[in-house]
Amino acid sequence: MEAASLSRIGLAGLAVMGQNLALNIAEKGFPISVYNRTASKVDETLDRAQSEGQLQASFRHHPREAGAPVDQTIAALAEHMEPGDTIIDGGNEWYENTERRMSDAEAKGLLYLGMGVSGGEEGARNGPSMMPGGSYEAYSNIKEIVEKVAAQVEDGPCVTYIGEGGSGNFVKMVHNGIEYGDMQLISEAYDVLKNVGGLSNEELAEIFDEWNKGELESFLIEITADIFKVKDEHGDGELVDKILDKTGMKGTGKWTVQQAAELSVAAPTIAASLDCRFLSGLKDERVAAAEVLAAAGMKEEVGAVRSGVDKKRLIDDVRQALYASKICSYAQGMNLLRAKSVEKNWNLNFGELARIWKGGCIIRAVFLDRIKKAYQRNPNLASLVVDPDFAKEMVQRQAAWRRVVGLAVSAGISTPGMCASLSYFDTYRRARLPANLVQAQRDLFGAHTYERVDRDGSFHTEWTKLARKKA
């Protein structure tokens, strides 16, 4: 047990992510102590360390009773820590919980970081993207370790000090909201290509492989191509067609949409992706609805639309629609981060956030380098949509984008993410909206007043009296 005292870092919680992160840290040459509530996980980690050759890792186990996991773990750890020691929570945590724990730790002379970690099992083992927020002193203490453990891209390790308080957790939460949007948009591209284009899984795999060599190059496009290639070992065809269409979720997407509403930031693409997960859960209701509506005379339009489709053009249109929709989704996520940064005085660096997402994490993509450069050109950019480079791309792709959405609507295939992105773009780019009528209605029924375009001040009108006044 002597070796454990030489550890630079300890890691509590050895489920998939924890175990892989521990092995990653050990492999980079940092002695580490690991702990888990059940000793078998420690043994399993030790066995893996030995088989993978990380024998510089030291392992120690402190058995104790299970309780409310994070607070209980912190309380147990704090008993063995000295002032100036650092606690890091690497889970998906609600940022206010982190801020509460931070002040509790501070009262005991301890430093605290809430650190978002993205990259799944493979990222944790080989290099994740990490988003540490909280005490800068605490970050300085672990900087050397996390910079080596993080994914490495051409402009540095995929980790940076995010900011004060719970900013690290908040940034990871928004990352996950963007991830929801990305996955939804890809599933819609698949739906249109498969059902309107009539493409086979083999063709889809080829298309996604091809897309992964261009502007859409990303982890999610790459793994989607792989998914289409996997055969079903229990029957004919590919496995993807046998998977039940009910999506799970862990809650970070819901938090993102709640925060967008709290901060009055429009995030329709992310919200649409969350709505789709809710609707996917209603499998029995959807099956019943299909039967009821068919009996009521609902006709399937897909076949008729498909017969007139130029497959090659559709594939290219969907690629452009996916890219344009993605710009809007990321714009929404970045604007949410900006609103929170202003509210909490976090001074988030959006170019740096895009940079640390370029490797290791689930949303990693070539496209993020473009976002990094957009914020380097203008740190106060109102929206990615109005960055000169992105604006050009949106304008160039809008015809294809509208064709895809129009085709999907006429075929009766829902594309809520693409539609939400397009509506966002079409609303944001218009100098005048029909909100003048809504303001008139609000003033009529609630005397909420309105402003005018041609003179200053607030106004109220007796609308009903004037409208019904006898000539």
Side-chain angles (χ1 to χ4, degrees):
M1 292 298 160
E2 289 302 307
S5 62
L6 302 173
S7 292
R8 287 284 304 275
I9 191 164
L11 193 144
L14 296 171
V16 172
M17 288 289 282
Q19 188 176 111
N20 281 289
L21 199 54
L23 292 164
N24 182 352
I25 291 167
E27 182 181 58
K28 299 301 187 296
F30 300 105
I32 177 170
S33 297
V34 295
Y35 151 77
N36 199 73
R37 284 197 305 235
T38 49
S40 62
K41 282 282 182 195
V42 178
D43 296 338
E44 189 186 304
T45 308
L46 180 54
D47 289 344
R48 269 190 73 187
Q50 286 172 330
S51 70
E52 294 181 22
Q54 277 102 56
L55 293 177
Q56 71 268 49
S58 59
F59 294 86
R60 184 156 79 178
H61 174 54
H62 301 290
R64 64 181 175 78
E65 295 301 309
V70 179
D71 286 311
Q72 289 283 75
T73 302
I74 291 168
L77 285 171
E79 287 174 29
H80 303 281
M81 298 179 92
E82 294 169 12
D85 284 349
T86 302
I87 296 173
I88 307 159
D89 178 6
N92 278 334
E93 184 54 274
W94 176 238
Y95 82 100
E96 288 179 330
N97 287 343
T98 294
E99 294 186 341
R100 168 177 58 79
R101 289 169 186 144
M102 213 166 270
S103 59
D104 291 349
E106 211 173 293
K108 297 177 179 138
L110 300 173
L111 304 174
Y112 197 97
L113 282 173
M115 184 168 76
V117 180
S118 177
E121 184 177 354
E122 189 234 340
R125 180 65 190 84
N126 300 310
S129 173
M130 292 185 277
M131 298 152 244
S135 157
Y136 185 74
E137 189 187 344
Y139 177 68
S140 304
N141 292 345
I142 63 155
K143 186 171 187 263
E144 183 197 6
I145 300 175
V146 292
E147 284 188 348
K148 281 199 177 151
V149 166
Q152 307 293 319
V153 291
E154 80 285 349
D155 47 7
C158 292
V159 62
T160 191
Y161 175 66
I162 301 292
E164 296 290 327
S167 59
N169 293 121
F170 195 91
V171 166
K172 173 58 165 51
M173 175 199 82
V174 174
H175 162 288
N176 285 23
I178 291 170
E179 182 186 307
Y180 273 50
D182 265 352
M183 293 170 77
Q184 176 63 30
L185 292 169
I186 291 169
S187 76
E188 292 174 15
Y190 155 64
D191 199 8
V192 171
L193 290 174
K194 179 184 175 180
N195 290 302
V196 181
L199 274 66
S200 67
N201 290 327
E202 192 180 345
E203 289 173 305
L204 287 163
E206 278 174 29
I207 288 159
F208 276 80
D209 272 334
E210 193 57 40
W211 286 355
N212 200 43
K213 294 173 189 157
E215 63 190 13
L216 287 170
E217 184 189 328
S218 62
F219 173 69
L220 284 167
I221 294 289
E222 180 188 341
I223 65 167
T224 303
D226 287 343
I227 286 167
F228 292 128
K229 296 169 191 170
V230 175
K231 301 284 181 204
D232 179 20
E233 55 186 349
H234 300 294
D236 295 334
E238 286 75 31
L239 179 57
V240 67
D241 295 326
K242 310 291 168 57
I243 296 175
L244 183 67
D245 51 323
K246 277 172 79 168
T247 316
M249 67 186 96
K250 291 282 174 69
T252 43
K254 190 188 284 189
W255 292 347
T256 305
V257 174
Q258 286 170 334
Q259 276 297 294
E262 288 282 327
L263 291 159
S264 304
V265 172
T269 312
I270 298 170
S273 68
L274 184 67
D275 287 340
C276 276
R277 292 198 182 194
F278 296 152
L279 286 164
S280 78
L282 305 176
K283 175 68 174 175
D284 294 344
E285 284 185 40
R286 289 187 288 113
V287 170
E291 288 171 9
V292 169
L293 291 163
M298 185 84 191
K299 295 275 189 294
E300 193 53 81
E301 299 295 339
V302 171
V305 173
R306 185 191 295 173
S307 61
V309 160
D310 173 343
K311 261 169 66 162
K312 200 169 174 195
R313 180 171 163 184
L314 177 67
I315 292 164
D316 196 57
D317 279 355
V318 171
R319 173 185 60 77
Q320 295 186 63
L322 180 52
Y323 187 78
S325 298
K326 195 176 155 95
I327 293 172
C328 290
S329 185
Y330 280 65
Q332 293 158 32
M334 296 316 250
N335 285 358
L336 174 54
L337 286 171
R338 188 181 59 207
K340 197 67 178 181
S341 183
V342 168
E343 183 197 72
K344 303 287 285 185
N345 213 15
W346 282 337
N347 285 321
L348 296 181
N349 181 331
F350 308 113
E352 264 293 89
L353 297 184
R355 185 193 68 76
I356 66 166
W357 289 342
K358 280 168 58 179
C361 71
I362 303 302
I363 65 171
R364 63 183 181 265
V366 165
F367 164 83
L368 283 155
D369 197 55
R370 315 279 305 282
I371 296 179
K372 181 191 86 168
K373 287 176 177 150
Y375 283 109
Q376 282 175 337
R377 279 193 292 273
N378 180 4
N380 300 313
L381 188 63
S383 169
L384 287 176
V385 172
V386 293
D387 168 75
D389 282 11
F390 281 128
K392 261 189 217 128
E393 297 193 320
M394 304 284 283
V395 173
Q396 284 163 0
R397 285 160 181 74
Q398 63 160 342
W401 195 7
R402 294 181 198 286
R403 280 196 297 270
V404 171
V405 167
L407 207 58
V409 169
S410 58
I413 288 176
S414 59
T415 49
M418 286 185 185
C419 286
S421 281
L422 184 55
S423 296
Y424 178 80
F425 174 69
D426 280 339
T427 306
Y428 189 68
R429 70 180 177 80
R430 287 182 68 196
R432 184 157 173 85
L433 293 169
N436 52 318
L437 181 60
V438 176
Q439 282 298 83
Q441 291 168 334
R442 292 178 72 241
D443 188 51
L444 185 152
F445 65 65
H448 291 295
T449 74
Y450 57 89
E451 294 173 274
R452 292 179 58 114
V453 293
D454 55 353
R455 60 190 68 183
D456 292 336
S458 290
F459 298 88
H460 169 59
T461 296
E462 296 291 332
W463 297 89
T464 309
K465 195 187 291 178
L466 289 171
R468 297 176 188 179
K469 193 168 68 178
K470 294 280 187 286

